[in-house]
Amino acid sequence: MTMLTIRNNAPVLPLPGAGEPWMRCNDARGLTTTVPREYVHRRSLAEVFLTGCDPIGADSFSLTGQWPRAHTFFTSADGTSHDPVQAGETIRQVGLYLCHAVYGVPLGHNVLLWSLDFTTRPERLRIGRSPSDLEMTAVCTDFGWKGNRFSGFLEVDIRRNGEVAGSGTARFSCVAPATYRRLRGERGLQALTRPLPRLTPIAAASAGRLLPFDVVLAPGDRPGRWQLSPDLDHPILFEHANDHHPGMVLVEAARQAACGLHAPGGFTPSGIATEFHHYAELDAPCWIDATLVSPGHVVVTGHQEGRTVFHSTVTGAA
C-alpha cells in the first residue's frame, strides 16, 4: 500500500559518480552554505536545514546543519524554542539528501514516506543568541534498489553543542514518475483542480500555534475530533504543489490535535511517531481523532472515505 509522496519537479542535477569525492559544503576558506535545495525537495533556501555531509563508515554519515533563530513556522508560540516538529523535518531532509546525493536516486523520482518517528529534549531546543548549529549522525539500513524501486530505513541523531537534542527514524521508498502516475491514477490529477475550500480554523492557541494561518484543523462534530483543513497556500506546509496533503501536514495535524485535546490547559509535544497508510486526498474530508491514552501520550488517527490514512502517537507534557 502506498501513501504519502514528497513531490519534486526540480531539474536533474549531476550526481557523484563512482570514485568521485563526496559533496562538501564547507570550502577551504571556511565559508558555509546549504546543500543544494533540490536535494531536499525545497524551493526556498531558507527552508534548507542541512549544510554538509561526510561518510564515516559503511552506510553511516556525519552531517551538519543549522536552525535559524527565528523561523516563520518552526518556532514555539512564545518564540523561545525551536519547534520539535523541526527535528522531524530535518530528519526528512537528511533522508532525501542521502538518497539523491549519495545513493544516486534521480531527482525526478517521488519519495513515498511510510513512517516518521522523532523525539526531542525540550530543554535543548531553547533558542540562543545565535543560530543553532547542528551535528548529526545518520545510519542507513537496507538502502538499495529492488527492481525499479529504491527503499530504506534511516536513523538520525541530532546534537547541539555536543548534546543530543533529538533523534528519530524514517522509512521510505522512491519510485519513478511514471510509476507514481500509475499509483495515483485519475485521482491525483483531479485533486489538484478541485480541492475542498478551507474551513474556519480552530483557535490558534488551542492548536498550540500563534497564528490562525498556521492552524490545519477545523472544528469537528464532537469533542476530540477535527477536520483537516490547512491553507493550501501556506509557504512552509505547501512549499510546492501537491496532489495530496504532504506527510508533514499530517504530522502537524497530529501535534495540533494533541494540543486541542488538552485545551485550554495547554500541551507541549516533545515527540511524534507516525505511520502513513494511504494518501490524504485534497478533495474529500479527512477526520482527525485524538484520544488521551495516558498522561503525556495521545493517539491521533486520520480517517478519510472509510480508510485510516495515518496513525500517530504524540508524547509531551500538559
Side-chain angles (χ1 to χ4, degrees):
M1 188 65 64
T2 57
M3 344 64 52
L4 301 163
T5 309
I6 305 167
R7 296 295 300 276
N8 180 57
N9 297 315
V12 174
L13 298 182
L15 296 171
E20 293 184 7
W22 294 78
M23 176 171 293
R24 295 290 302 274
C25 289
N26 299 325
D27 69 14
R29 296 167 295 170
L31 301 179
T32 302
T33 184
T34 66
V35 302
R37 55 192 171 94
E38 291 85 357
Y39 284 157
V40 296
H41 297 195
R42 299 281 87 179
R43 290 185 174 178
S44 171
L45 288 173
E47 302 310 318
V48 180
F49 300 142
L50 306 184
T51 59
C53 177
D54 283 303
I56 56 176
D59 297 314
S60 60
F61 306 89
S62 174
L63 299 102
T64 55
Q66 188 180 88
W67 291 339
R69 292 181 69 191
H71 192 275
T72 58
F73 185 74
F74 291 122
T75 305
S76 63
D78 63 6
T80 63
S81 296
H82 296 293
D83 187 341
V85 178
Q86 193 168 16
E89 169 62 17
T90 303
I91 293 167
R92 186 190 75 89
Q93 290 191 16
V94 169
L96 291 171
Y97 174 79
L98 292 176
C99 282
H100 294 309
V102 175
Y103 289 94
V105 175
L107 283 174
H109 277 45
N110 299 93
V111 180
L112 313 179
L113 186 63
W114 298 91
S115 68
L116 180 64
D117 180 348
F118 59 90
T119 60
T120 61
R121 300 186 180 185
E123 72 277 8
R124 295 177 184 166
L125 299 183
R126 300 286 292 181
I127 295 174
R129 294 184 177 181
S130 62
S132 298
D133 291 321
L134 310 175
E135 308 88 38
M136 292 165 281
T137 301
V139 178
C140 305
T141 303
D142 296 328
F143 267 47
W145 293 93
K146 297 178 181 178
N148 61 356
R149 177 177 296 221
F150 186 89
S151 61
F153 179 80
L154 175 70
E155 300 175 81
V156 179
D157 287 331
I158 302 172
R159 297 179 301 280
R160 288 180 65 195
N161 301 318
E163 296 183 314
V164 175
S167 61
T169 66
R171 186 167 55 92
F172 59 89
S173 56
C174 310
V175 298
T179 302
Y180 178 75
R181 288 193 294 269
R182 289 196 298 271
L183 291 172
R184 293 295 284 137
E186 290 298 320
R187 187 66 181 269
L189 296 174
Q190 294 171 353
L192 286 170
T193 60
R194 61 180 192 189
L196 294 180
R198 192 186 188 208
L199 303 175
T200 301
I202 63 175
S206 67
R209 304 298 316 191
L210 180 62
L211 302 175
F213 181 54
D214 294 332
V215 177
V216 302
L217 301 180
D221 55 4
R222 64 172 185 262
R225 165 173 280 198
W226 300 267
Q227 185 171 340
L228 182 66
S229 189
D231 191 319
L232 301 186
D233 291 323
H234 195 285
I236 309 302
L237 295 174
F238 289 89
E239 200 215 27
H240 48 268
N242 263 280
D243 62 4
H244 60 276
H245 292 289
M248 293 308 294
V249 170
L250 303 185
V251 171
E252 180 63 24
R255 178 259 286 284
Q256 293 188 16
C259 291
L261 199 64
H262 288 82
F267 181 77
T268 303
S270 58
I272 305 176
T274 304
E275 293 184 355
F276 305 103
H277 304 290
H278 292 280
Y279 297 101
E281 305 291 354
L282 301 174
D283 58 356
C286 181
W287 299 100
I288 309 298
D289 294 286
T291 303
L292 180 65
V293 294
S294 64
H297 290 78
V298 179
V299 170
V300 181
T301 56
H303 297 89
Q304 186 177 61
E305 298 178 326
R307 301 187 302 185
T308 299
V309 173
F310 74 96
H311 178 280
S312 292
T313 300
V314 184
T315 57

